[in-house]
Amino acid sequence: LQQIAKLPEPDNRFLQQHFDRDTQWKYGIRLLKEMHFDFEAGRQDISEHPFTTNFNSNDVRVTTRIDENDFGNMTWSCLHEGGHALYEQGLPSEQYGLPLGEYCSLSIHESQSRLWENNVGRSLPFWIYHYPGLQQQFPKQLGAIKVDQFYGGINKVSPSLIRTEADELTYHFHIMIRYELEKALIEGSLKAKEIPLAWADLYKKYLGITVPDDINGCLQDVHWSHGSFGYFATYSTGSLYAAQFFEHIRKQNPQIDLELKAGNSKSILQWLQQHIYPFGRYYTSAELCSHATGETLNSRYFINYATRKFSDIYEK
């Protein structure tokens, strides 16, 4: 972050135009279909906060949200939740109701969503294929924007209020803030009524931004209200797993970028279907990672991935 803060940043103003709601919705459905979400075993709807829920592997439902003045809101929500959904649809149906039919852990679940959202869905090869179709849907907004500009814009690093809309790097400060608040709540050094002020203080400290209200502050996520304390850390851990998994996908298939440029993500799904989905809770997270990649969680994969990616974007 300190390195790229000194460099000229990409322009992403083209993302903050008017993008018709219905056209966005149809494009989101198209993205889900092209990442092989099975609509015979699931559906997508609208909600204030995107989420995935399932009743079994044959009934997996995702939601997204649409902001007509911010194209990114819907797009990466669809990809993120689609990654969750593919995992649920890929679990062994014959093991329904048993540990072998359930996801390994929340961190592994988030690795699936973050892999599709970021390692795939914010990559240049992915958009080399998809961008012409997107331009056809929004010719007025994107017709004059080249794919390299689009790629830089969707990966602009900038502090923001909303976790689900954050870039790949500052995203982890959103997680750290919640993690620190959770620890303080659980140990008793912070009371629930003190959360809004503490939240605002940490956003100023770590991201340098002012929180205007609780809707854009401590009430933006649903996790604490339904009791999911300790969940937020899994997003960062999941991102580390995702980078490690994706690097091993690349090692096993050096043609992956060429395939993505041709609109083919099937080999990514096949690797996950072979190495992640079929084992349910047979392994712990560390054991599953070791089984899939030959080593337990190693943060250098994410560091190397982020350094390569953002150095390339910001040094152009």
Side-chain angles (χ1 to χ4, degrees):
L1 280 170
Q2 291 174 343
Q3 286 178 307
I4 64 177
K6 304 170 186 176
L7 301 171
E9 61 184 18
D11 184 356
N12 71 344
R13 288 175 294 179
F14 57 82
L15 293 172
Q16 279 79 53
Q17 302 181 69
H18 182 265
F19 293 87
D20 176 71
R21 178 184 178 89
D22 290 341
T23 308
Q24 282 198 63
W25 170 258
K26 291 175 184 176
Y27 191 74
I29 296 291
R30 175 178 169 181
L31 285 177
L32 285 171
K33 287 180 178 178
E34 293 190 359
M35 65 189 288
H36 308 291
F37 175 78
D38 183 0
F39 276 92
E40 293 298 313
R43 57 179 289 142
Q44 178 172 260
D45 292 281
I46 295 290
S47 67
E48 182 64 25
H49 185 100
F51 67 90
T52 300
T53 189
N54 70 291
F55 302 93
N56 53 62
S57 61
N58 295 307
D59 188 356
V60 182
R61 309 181 188 198
V62 298
T63 70
T64 190
R65 62 183 174 201
I66 296 176
D67 182 344
E68 289 195 304
N69 298 308
D70 181 3
F71 174 74
N73 216 312
M74 180 279 304
T75 304
W76 285 279
S77 291
C78 285
L79 292 169
H80 180 100
E81 300 305 331
H84 281 306
L86 289 176
Y87 187 15
E88 291 290 348
Q89 289 184 340
L91 290 170
S93 59
E94 69 276 9
Q95 298 291 339
Y96 172 70
L98 300 171
L100 290 180
E102 297 179 357
Y103 62 87
C104 175
S105 70
L106 294 174
S107 291
I108 295 298
H109 224 313
E110 293 303 340
S111 77
Q112 303 307 291
S113 58
R114 299 291 284 172
L115 187 151
W116 285 99
E117 176 191 358
N118 294 321
N119 302 89
V120 177
R122 292 186 193 270
S123 72
L124 183 56
F126 180 84
W127 286 107
I128 285 176
Y129 175 79
H130 288 281
Y131 191 58
L134 180 61
Q135 286 180 306
Q136 290 178 1
Q137 295 297 312
F138 298 103
K140 180 180 177 181
Q141 297 89 337
L142 300 173
I145 305 296
K146 298 184 182 302
V147 68
D148 285 344
Q149 286 178 272
F150 182 81
Y151 171 64
I154 65 174
N155 286 291
K156 179 181 177 180
V157 175
S158 180
S160 59
L161 285 166
I162 307 300
R163 174 186 63 83
T164 58
E165 299 167 19
D167 61 83
E168 277 188 88
L169 295 186
T170 60
Y171 181 89
H172 299 286
F173 285 90
H174 291 265
I175 302 306
M176 184 165 66
I177 289 167
R178 289 155 175 76
Y179 178 64
E180 292 189 3
L181 291 175
E182 282 183 331
K183 287 205 299 182
L185 283 167
I186 291 169
E187 74 181 11
S189 62
L190 181 71
K191 297 179 180 179
K193 65 181 180 181
E194 297 171 333
I195 291 174
L197 183 59
W199 182 288
D201 288 344
L202 289 177
Y203 265 78
K204 181 61 102 175
K205 175 183 177 182
Y206 288 133
L207 290 169
I209 56 178
T210 300
V211 177
D213 51 51
D214 291 342
I215 291 175
N216 290 287
C218 61
L219 295 181
Q220 66 179 265
D221 294 302
V222 300
H223 301 61
W224 290 344
S225 64
H226 64 57
S228 293
F229 287 85
Y231 193 124
F232 286 112
T234 68
Y235 290 113
S236 284
T237 312
S239 297
L240 302 185
Y241 278 123
Q244 188 162 335
F245 294 157
F246 197 71
E247 183 62 24
H248 280 79
I249 292 172
R250 188 184 299 282
K251 284 180 181 178
Q252 290 190 20
N253 180 12
Q255 303 300 311
I256 192 65
D257 285 347
L258 291 176
E259 291 180 4
L260 285 174
K261 287 178 182 178
N264 180 12
S265 61
K266 190 68 175 178
S267 63
I268 297 172
L269 179 59
Q270 288 172 339
W271 189 94
L272 298 171
Q273 288 172 332
Q274 179 182 352
H275 293 90
I276 306 297
Y277 299 172
F279 300 107
R281 293 195 173 184
Y282 185 83
Y283 297 114
T284 64
S285 299
E287 290 168 345
L288 181 62
C289 184
S290 183
H291 185 269
T293 70
E295 60 181 314
T296 53
L297 184 61
N298 187 334
S299 62
R300 71 178 173 87
Y301 288 101
F302 178 80
I303 298 299
N304 291 342
Y305 156 75
T307 300
R308 286 195 307 266
K309 178 175 183 175
F310 291 98
S311 294
D312 180 60
I313 292 171
Y314 273 76
E315 288 174 1
K316 282 186 177 179

